[in-house]
Amino acid sequence: MTSTTRTANEPTKRADQRASITVLVLGDEGVGKSSLISTFVSRYFSEVVQGIMTRVRLPPDPNSSCITTIVDSQGADSALLSAVAAMSLTGTSAAAAAKSSTDSFSNFMQRAEASRISTASTPHLGASTSSVSSAGVDNVDSIILVYDLDRVETFFRLENHWLPLIERCYNGEMPVIIAGNKMDLFRTSSTAGMTDEQAMARSRQQIVSLMQRFRFVRQCIKCSAKNLLRVDEIFLKAQQAVLYPFTPLYDLDNVALTPDCKRAFTRIFRMYDADKDGLLSDPELDQFHREAFQTPVMDRDFAAWKKVVTRNNQTDEPVVKDNKFTIAGFLAIFDVFISQNRLDVVWQALRKFGYDDDLRLEIPDSVTNTAHDKGLDENWRLTPAARTFLSDLFHQFDSDKDGMLSGDDLLAIFSILPEPSLPPWHPLRASEVFKDCRAIPKIPVAGSRSESYTGGEAGIRESVALAMSQSLSASGITILSSDSVPTVNMENIHNLAAPLSFLDWMGFWHSISSVSPAVARAELFRLGHVEKRSKKHSKRSGRRKKGVAPITHTPDSSLLSRELRVLVLGSATSGRTDLVEALCGLDGSEFSTFRGLAVPGATNYPESSSAHVKVRRKISAAKVSKDIGGDEFVVHLVFTEFPQLNPENRSEQREIQHYIGEVGNRRCDLVMLVFDSSDDSSFSRVKAIEAAMLDDDLPRVFVATQKGTEDSTNDDDSVQPATVLDMATIHCRERDLEPPILTSLGARDPSREDVHTHERKDVLEHLARCARLNEIGVEALRSKPLEEQKRRDASRRRKLLWFGGLVSVTVVVAAGVGLLLGTTSATGKGDKKKDPLGIGWISKILFGPTESAAPK
């Protein structure tokens, strides 16, 4: 499977960031190759120049650090022919050798010389030795092919000799600029039997025919080295052919923009379609122009562009609607620039938005790498801006406005992504998207079960086979199985999840953000969402958002939403998997679990799935206000089911702590401890997990599963279902927790579907309340051990501290007053004994006057 999206860790391929450009000048002898180079460098034409110029290195352009090297040649066709013959004998592509970034053109020529003995009988191979080989040219980037306007045979040699040779050597990928030199000697009237107009028309037709046959020829320019006529333009176009490549943008066979180019500009279009009406208004286009080119657009320019694209529109699709540009009109603007050879304008816009020379979107480091940003850590959740973006996207592509996304609607949303243009949870993409994640998503995908994926080389082969067969699906072709390629059934490969409601759509994204925040942010970025975070927002990004109100489109999208992450723990026989699948609506349906793609060396790793429930506030209608989001809100619960755990295993304890997080930075809102109501060892396991891995500050809830609707019986009187449930109830009472929930959701009884639906809603709402929503009108349930007792103890300590402080202040005040109002007592006749502490007045108040002080 190929991808045209580049991550931050991959090397970039952008011509505007390259350090050097090498231009090779080719042509027959005497056409003026060296004169063109000499005139261009010295700005002076000399009648006498050396037979071949040495390497000429130009100073870097003021706007870039790229250095251009011009290489003259002599007898280069002989060396190229030798190379082609040598590579054909060895079975190696000459184009691959010439285009290799790790090989040099000189080595390429030296290998051709080494094989000259075996190719001596081949015509043209015994010709003169090439000066190109001795020049040691590395990595030729573009070619200037020169002919003599005054010698018509040199022009015919272009078509019959030079261009076919270049095409064979470089596989038709090397940009070529044709320069018709010695225009000062060219006379159209010299053509026998033709007028000047006829001769010019014939010359134009020959050039057009040449460019149609050899698509890698970028431009034909007539010049004069003697008169310095268009000499600069020759070398400038050779540089621009490298800096602004043509092939990724335009398909000459279909005379249209390439699919990758259309996808790139469609993504840019969506980014500036602020009102999500599928049209680009004048202010929106002006905003794009300001950010892409740093200049505003005048009103007259808007009108002029609308006339241009309308006049040049050759299709039935409208380019302007309601005086706004459609997507087709936006693409037509850049089609006009390409037709005018203004590729620099097109590439400036594409590179501004992160596209490289292959039109692969570069994901910024700030999106994928959060190590440098404490505000974007693994506790990252969908931001208000991201939720609003996803809400707008849902309603914009809901084609029939029924509040559901069909399969075609989903394909339209993701059509701007590289092939395969599918949601990240589809098996064709998920095997690559989630391969490095610590958990894997479990999402329903109709008709595309991916259980056969085993990871490693076998899984890669299967993904490649699926990607290959995707291109054959239109013809109904199925790739047959063999030892290396598995069978691929393409009948339902594009059947996505059943029509998605708005809450299901948002639930999928909450689940992805829980599995991998980096993946979620990267996928949103590919869809055109760019998170704009102010400094104030950055500081608060770690705090829990109470709710997000998206733009109102449907009743569900107008509700406030909350995301809760639930970690599911329990023994393998506790029924936790069936319970989670029942809560998430996955029971009895096909779903994608991309096993073998997460932590290398692990056999089991967490699986995440999502569910949602609407919670109603217990508050009078008079008190409901817009500030609290109405009397109802939505809670998205993302369940992460952890595999079998050993509470005594240190590594597993560390893994659990990763998902739980630290106090003040929790990655998990609630732990659901699942046990079998008929198995006391199952309950003992969750008790051991609670004691070893959970701290008292983390909310938890106990859930007991039962196999059927009726209480099961057991001949062994020592273990009864009630006994296990009573043990759990007593444990919860001692820990001041809510009693265990007893549920049979995992039993999957089709005859009790209505009962299960009601029970499912009750269980989800109970879990949401245990997770401490902190919402007005929603009662929080007991989920933290001994929380009330700890609160009373803390209150008692606060009162004691307060009373002790009050007493201390009273004593200090009393002592101060005593110092100010110190008294003395008489001892004997006229003798007075001073009170050294000055607190005698307190003693008088408390104990009365002493005998010495009593009246006689």
Side-chain angles (χ1 to χ4, degrees), residues 402-586:
D402 62 345
M404 305 289 288
L405 285 180
S406 64
D408 291 338
D409 295 337
L410 281 173
L411 291 176
I413 290 175
F414 293 95
S415 62
I416 61 175
L417 270 64
E419 294 291 344
S421 303
L422 297 168
W425 53 82
H426 194 281
L428 275 179
R429 287 201 60 218
S431 58
E432 178 69 22
V433 171
F434 298 103
K435 66 178 181 180
D436 296 325
C437 299
R438 304 183 70 152
I440 50 181
K442 183 191 292 185
I443 296 176
V445 180
S448 55
R449 183 183 292 271
S450 182
E451 294 180 351
S452 60
Y453 189 94
T454 57
E457 294 183 0
I460 294 175
R461 287 198 299 268
E462 179 180 357
S463 299
V464 172
L466 290 175
M468 291 170 56
S469 55
Q470 182 182 1
S471 62
L472 302 176
S473 60
S475 304
I477 300 175
T478 301
I479 300 178
L480 299 179
S481 62
S482 64
D483 294 337
S484 58
V485 181
T487 301
V488 179
N489 184 4
M490 294 304 303
E491 183 178 355
N492 293 320
I493 200 63
H494 275 167
N495 287 351
L496 306 178
L500 289 180
S501 67
F502 173 77
L503 295 181
D504 290 332
W505 162 259
M506 295 301 298
F508 281 6
W509 286 100
H510 283 294
S511 181
I512 293 174
S513 68
S514 174
V515 170
S516 174
V519 168
R521 290 192 297 268
E523 290 299 316
L524 289 171
F525 184 82
R526 293 184 181 101
L527 289 176
H529 173 64
V530 179
E531 193 74 28
K532 297 179 179 179
R533 300 187 306 117
S534 62
K535 294 182 179 180
K536 180 178 180 181
H537 180 72
S538 299
K539 294 179 180 180
R540 305 173 111 187
S541 57
R543 300 182 184 179
R544 186 70 49 81
K545 305 299 183 298
K546 294 197 66 175
V548 181
I551 299 175
T552 302
H553 293 283
T554 63
D556 286 343
S557 64
S558 64
L559 298 176
L560 286 172
S561 64
R562 289 287 306 275
E563 176 188 337
L564 296 178
R565 297 181 179 178
V566 183
L567 187 62
V568 183
L569 304 177
S571 64
T573 60
S574 63
R576 65 174 192 269
T577 301
D578 293 338
L579 174 61
V580 171
E581 290 178 3
L583 291 174
C584 298
L586 298 174

Side-chain angles (χ1 to χ4, degrees), residues 749-808:
D749 186 357
S751 63
R752 304 181 70 249
E753 187 65 31
D754 294 339
V755 176
H756 282 181
T757 301
H758 182 73
E759 184 180 0
R760 174 178 176 270
K761 181 180 183 301
D762 290 343
V763 172
L764 289 175
E765 186 171 346
H766 183 87
L767 295 176
R769 295 178 186 275
C770 286
R772 306 302 182 92
L773 293 172
N774 295 327
E775 291 283 349
I776 299 176
V778 178
E779 179 185 1
L781 301 181
R782 297 170 298 165
S783 58
K784 292 185 178 181
L786 305 175
E787 183 181 23
E788 187 61 31
Q789 178 180 343
K790 293 177 181 178
R791 185 181 297 111
R792 290 194 298 266
D793 293 343
S795 176
R796 187 180 300 110
R797 286 194 298 269
R798 286 195 300 270
K799 290 179 180 179
L800 290 175
L801 290 175
W802 180 85
F803 181 76
L806 180 62
V807 171
S808 300

Side-chain angles (χ1 to χ4, degrees), residues 457-458 488 543 605 612 627 728 733 750 789 827:
E457 294 183 0
V488 179
R543 300 182 184 179
Y605 10 114
H612 61 265
D627 295 335
R733 187 183 303 120
Q789 178 180 343
T827 57

Side-chain angles (χ1 to χ4, degrees), residues 65-82:
S65 58
C66 182
I67 298 175
T68 301
T69 301
I70 303 173
V71 180
D72 198 357
S73 65
Q74 184 178 12
D77 53 345
S78 175
L80 292 177
L81 281 168
S82 300

Side-chain angles (χ1 to χ4, degrees), residues 668-683:
C668 166
D669 301 297
L670 178 70
V671 176
M672 186 167 71
L673 300 168
V674 184
F675 65 94
D676 186 352
S677 61
S678 61
D679 184 2
D680 57 349
S681 63
S682 177
F683 176 67

Side-chain angles (χ1 to χ4, degrees), residues 587-617:
D587 50 329
S589 63
E590 293 188 345
F591 50 85
S592 59
T593 55
F594 313 104
R595 297 181 174 88
L597 301 179
V599 182
T603 56
N604 295 303
Y605 10 114
E607 297 178 345
S608 295
S609 50
S610 65
H612 61 265
V613 63
K614 295 180 181 179
V615 179
R616 184 171 294 275
R617 304 177 192 273

